[in-house]
Amino acid sequence: MKFLQQFSDELESLVAKAMPAVVAVQHAQGHGTGLFLTPDGYVLTNRHVVRSRGRLTLELHDGSEVRAELVGADAPTDLAVVRAEEGAKFPTLPLADPHDVRVGQWVMAIGNPFRLEQSVSMGVVSAINRTLPLPDGVILEGLLQTDAAINPGNSGGPLLNMHGQVVGLNTLVLPYAQGIGFAVSATTAAWVASLLIQRGKVERRFLGIAATAINLPAQRAQEAGQLRAVRVMKVGQGTPAADAGLEADDLLLGIDERPVTNVDDVQRMLALATGPEVRLDVLRKGRRRTLRARTASREHSKAA
């Protein structure tokens, strides 16, 4: 009983600390939730929350309202950044280290479902690195799955661990299922948000491969020097990957000397690359290879 009371007290304290950084995002055609990224008013939310043009209003924790403007949006991740037009020193929340996010962890979703402001729900991380196709053809990758209740209006709100760190941004729930919600990982949210703030958009480049993340068996992990890699399933004809000599069943270990462990890592490295050519570190039939690829640009990426 004492343990339960202590756990309850800690949850209350966590909610009290987190709530001031969470805002309601409102516009003429809908509403959702957002999270202050920076003290000077940049707010992270979902693209579908702010898709319609027009005036945006942020309702703060204390009930006050400030106008906001759209900074940029990214369809492939369903993320957007808006900025409060007035005010400063807004409260923020820390992002979790991706290596600390594990299946079975307790998490808490905060948001405004059905306009019920500042609602809190509890659950666990049910799975990581989920891939989910959307009706408009966009494929969301690297998602966290949770059984914490997520409903319309929760979109854009934080999914927090028990240390008060943001592990993901609540984005959608399957309408035909009960208790299955998804969040964009904090890792994805961080790099997309930084590009939206700096450039107003995410300029994507692609290799032209279909790929999936895999856990490496012990022998291959020893050969690769890492526990996970991206397996190339298919290489498109006439693509940068084909020109570079990439083949199906290759294990992509790194891009520009940085390790990749999932498809989101691949997309992030390509988006952040400064030149037209990238270095690919590949494991093929037990041998490491280095390939060079001149990547191509496209506005919306459905694969790597």
Side-chain angles (χ1 to χ4, degrees):
M1 190 69 178
K2 184 178 180 181
F3 168 77
L4 291 178
Q5 184 59 55
Q6 181 180 356
F7 183 59
S8 177
D9 291 343
E10 290 176 354
L11 288 180
E12 289 180 29
S13 176
L14 174 60
V15 171
K17 292 179 180 178
M19 280 293 190
V22 181
V23 299
V25 182
Q26 302 175 356
H27 56 85
Q29 299 182 16
H31 73 288
T33 308
L35 170 70
F36 277 117
L37 276 178
T38 63
D40 57 346
Y42 284 103
V43 172
L44 182 64
T45 186
N46 281 139
R47 173 180 174 269
H48 73 261
V49 170
V50 295
R51 182 176 298 178
S52 62
R53 297 184 177 276
R55 175 179 176 176
L56 294 172
T57 301
L58 304 179
E59 183 177 340
L60 308 185
H61 175 63
D62 60 5
S64 61
E65 294 184 350
V66 296
R67 293 189 63 175
E69 62 178 357
L70 178 64
V71 174
D74 182 53
T77 56
D78 193 27
L79 293 174
V81 172
V82 303
R83 188 177 190 184
E85 294 182 353
E86 57 187 55
K89 296 185 179 179
F90 293 105
T92 62
L93 291 172
L95 301 181
D97 187 309
H99 298 98
D100 293 335
V101 181
R102 298 180 296 275
V103 174
Q105 280 185 323
W106 281 101
V107 286
M108 175 187 300
I110 301 179
N112 304 283
F114 301 107
R115 296 188 183 274
L116 299 173
E117 290 82 1
Q118 302 171 358
S119 294
V120 178
S121 59
M122 288 284 298
V124 298
V125 175
S126 305
I128 58 177
N129 290 319
R130 289 294 198 210
T131 299
L132 198 66
L134 299 183
D136 59 3
V138 170
I139 299 176
L140 297 181
E141 297 180 295
L143 297 175
L144 304 179
Q145 180 184 326
T146 181
D147 65 349
I150 297 175
N151 292 288
N154 269 116
S155 295
L159 190 67
L160 303 170
N161 62 20
M162 294 299 99
H163 299 291
Q165 300 167 328
V166 180
V167 301
L169 200 76
N170 303 320
T171 189
L172 58 87
V173 63
L174 293 182
Y176 48 82
Q178 293 183 354
I180 301 180
F182 297 91
V184 179
S185 73
T187 304
T188 300
W191 72 263
V192 170
S194 67
L195 290 177
L196 291 178
I197 292 173
Q198 294 171 26
R199 308 174 186 173
K201 62 180 179 179
V202 177
E203 296 177 344
R204 276 184 165 72
R205 294 188 289 170
F206 80 111
L207 289 172
I209 61 174
T212 186
I214 62 170
N215 294 316
L216 298 177
Q219 182 177 348
R220 281 200 169 183
Q222 186 175 11
E223 295 169 348
Q226 58 195 64
L227 299 177
R228 287 173 58 83
V230 174
R231 182 184 178 189
V232 178
M233 307 296 290
K234 182 179 179 181
V235 177
Q237 293 183 352
T239 62
D243 293 341
L246 205 60
E247 298 178 0
D249 290 328
D250 281 349
L251 295 180
L252 185 57
L253 306 179
I255 296 178
D256 286 341
E257 301 186 58
R258 300 178 186 176
V260 295
T261 58
N262 54 51
V263 177
D264 181 69
D265 283 345
V266 176
Q267 294 180 337
R268 174 166 56 92
M269 297 303 180
L270 293 177
L272 296 176
T274 56
E277 186 177 271
V278 294
R279 166 179 163 168
L280 307 178
D281 295 320
V282 175
L283 185 66
R284 180 184 297 167
K285 297 179 180 179
R287 295 183 59 187
R288 296 184 72 110
R289 297 170 181 262
T290 298
L291 306 177
R292 299 277 179 180
R294 293 187 65 85
T295 56
S297 299
R298 65 179 173 190
E299 185 176 355
H300 298 302
S301 175
K302 299 178 185 176

